[in-house]
Amino acid sequence: MLLSLVLHMYSMCCVLPAAVLLGTAPTYVLAWGAWRLLSAFLPSRFYQAVDDRLYCIYQSMVLFFFENYTGVQILLYGDLPKNKENIIYLANHQSTVDWIVADILAIRQNALGHVRYVLKDGLKWLPLYGCYFSQMYLVIFPEGTRYNPELTKVISASQTFAAQEGLPVLKHVLTPRIKATHVAFDSMKNYLDAIYDVTVAFEGTVDDKGQRKEAPSMAEFLCKECPKIHIHIDRIDKKDVPEEQVYMKRWLHERFEIKDKLLIEFYDSLDPERRNKFPGESVNSKLSLKKTLPSFLILSGLTAGMLMTEAGRKLYVKTWIYGTLIGCLWGCCSGLTQGLTGKRCVASQRWS
């Protein structure tokens, strides 16, 4: 009986956030759609300002669960961001919560509404959010796929490619791909202030034998299985980034060599005192409830109010159904257009 209760409580740790995050989706999409229509004849800056604010509200609610609800400790190292900047965020990729780590930094710079992502093409099929998320950019994971120590074939392929190219072989990260980084930098260099080279390590991802385990999934994270996130930041001024692709490729690999050394220190250091942390002083950065709780109350309150009336419930269901169908239709049309124009970027398992 007691075991059954414990298992039930454990599952609820994940079910509650998932229910709220998914349950408020129609409310958010309706608000965004209404503003999109109302602002159709206004200058684009008005639409963008409110769109950023709406996005910030939803992402703040996400962080309410991923920081305040889970109680995870955020430890920051290196060049701690102070002012809001236009940046490209480059990071190692190992978990389904990596995009939330980008939000964790952004909210501390009051820039949460401006974060955009390069995401896998398949994510455009997510119900309601797919067509919205697929327009986002700036956060880039150059490895192209998640590093998982259990996927030995992927790691071996990455290391083999590096060796064939005469590049140093990496242990705790995959060989980075250059194309998305180069395109992003070349397109936005006139507006950028810097690149944030971010290295992330999740504490508790080493087994009893000292071997690295798979990073926590989103569900495991929400079930409070990750006590600490260690985030190391190197701020690189845009003038220090080579613009030509051939030189940027070498530069990017050098940045990942630095990441690899940091992670070797974190996971494999022979000195127990240096393990489970990055070199240098760390700052325990706790997020105030004032930053996230209002967004949770606003979206959940609006959703609850909608569901209390019959008309509201009908609108809610129709938003789920038609919003998903429109998103899928948009995905098909955009995929066809990109295919015809030759501009579609398809991720492959070949490192280039």
Side-chain angles (χ1 to χ4, degrees), residues 215-232:
S217 66
M218 194 170 290
E220 289 168 337
F221 197 96
L222 289 171
C223 287
K224 307 182 181 182
E225 292 188 15
C226 179
K228 297 178 182 178
I229 302 178
H230 299 258
I231 306 173
H232 187 280

Side-chain angles (χ1 to χ4, degrees), residues 284-300:
N284 185 0
S285 180
K286 186 173 177 59
L287 186 64
S288 170
L289 265 174
K290 292 188 293 185
K291 292 253 187 181
T292 60
L293 185 59
S295 296
F296 165 72
L297 294 175
I298 289 170
L299 282 173
S300 57

Side-chain angles (χ1 to χ4, degrees), residues 166-168 245-254 257:
L167 299 169
Q245 182 168 327
V246 64
Y247 297 116
M248 186 182 286
K249 180 179 180 180
R250 177 69 239 193
W251 172 86
L252 184 61
H253 197 277
E254 288 173 353
E257 290 175 50

Side-chain angles (χ1 to χ4, degrees), residues 91-340:
N92 56 318
H93 192 19
Q94 57 194 316
S95 170
T96 50
V97 299
D98 285 338
W99 63 277
I100 294 169
V101 176
D103 286 351
I104 285 172
L105 289 183
I107 199 170
R108 285 162 170 79
Q109 288 182 276
N110 296 314
L112 188 59
H114 305 284
V115 178
R116 301 294 185 263
Y117 311 90
V118 170
L119 297 175
K120 287 187 176 180
D121 189 62
L123 292 178
K124 71 185 180 184
W125 304 109
L126 283 172
L128 295 182
Y129 288 122
C131 62
Y132 190 65
F133 277 128
S134 64
Q135 299 175 60
M136 300 173 184
Y137 59 98
L138 285 182
V139 175
I140 301 174
F141 302 107
E143 291 161 284
T145 191
R146 292 193 297 272
Y147 177 97
N148 182 347
E150 297 177 4
L151 300 179
T152 55
K153 289 185 178 180
V154 173
I155 296 172
S156 178
S158 168
Q159 294 175 341
T160 299
F161 178 80
Q164 290 173 345
E165 293 290 305
L167 299 169
V169 173
L170 307 173
K171 179 179 180 182
H172 285 291
V173 291
L174 302 176
T175 305
R177 304 167 181 175
I178 187 58
K179 290 180 182 177
T181 305
H182 181 261
V183 169
F185 185 85
D186 188 60
S187 301
M188 297 179 284
K189 61 187 177 185
N190 293 330
Y191 309 98
L192 288 176
D193 297 307
I195 285 181
Y196 287 3
D197 184 12
V198 179
T199 306
V200 180
F202 298 96
E203 196 163 309
T205 53
V206 175
D207 62 23
D208 296 335
K209 297 179 181 179
Q211 298 298 310
R212 186 176 172 186
K213 301 188 299 184
E214 184 179 2
S217 66
M218 194 170 290
E220 289 168 337
F221 197 96
L222 289 171
C223 287
K224 307 182 181 182
E225 292 188 15
C226 179
K228 297 178 182 178
I229 302 178
H230 299 258
I231 306 173
H232 187 280
I233 308 155
D234 276 331
R235 183 191 182 279
I236 304 165
D237 195 278
K238 71 172 184 179
K239 65 180 174 54
D240 297 324
V241 182
E243 295 187 15
E244 292 187 31
Q245 182 168 327
V246 64
Y247 297 116
M248 186 182 286
K249 180 179 180 180
R250 177 69 239 193
W251 172 86
L252 184 61
H253 197 277
E254 288 173 353
R255 297 309 312 176
F256 269 74
E257 290 175 50
I258 294 172
K259 290 181 185 297
D260 203 41
K261 290 175 182 176
L262 288 170
L263 292 169
I264 287 172
E265 182 88 352
F266 187 92
Y267 291 111
D268 305 329
S269 177
L270 297 177
D271 183 355
E273 295 296 321
R274 298 169 66 180
R275 220 174 293 145
N276 286 325
K277 60 183 180 181
F278 290 129
E281 295 294 322
S282 66
V283 174
N284 185 0
S285 180
K286 186 173 177 59
L287 186 64
S288 170
L289 265 174
K290 292 188 293 185
K291 292 253 187 181
T292 60
L293 185 59
S295 296
F296 165 72
L297 294 175
I298 289 170
L299 282 173
S300 57
L302 289 173
T303 303
M306 186 186 304
L307 294 175
M308 289 178 67
T309 65
E310 184 178 354
R313 288 191 293 271
K314 288 181 178 179
L315 180 60
Y316 182 89
V317 172
K318 287 180 179 179
T319 302
W320 263 114
I321 295 172
Y322 294 116
T324 302
L325 290 175
I326 291 171
C328 289
L329 181 61
W330 181 91
C332 288
C333 292
S334 65
L336 179 61
T337 301
Q338 290 171 345
L340 290 173

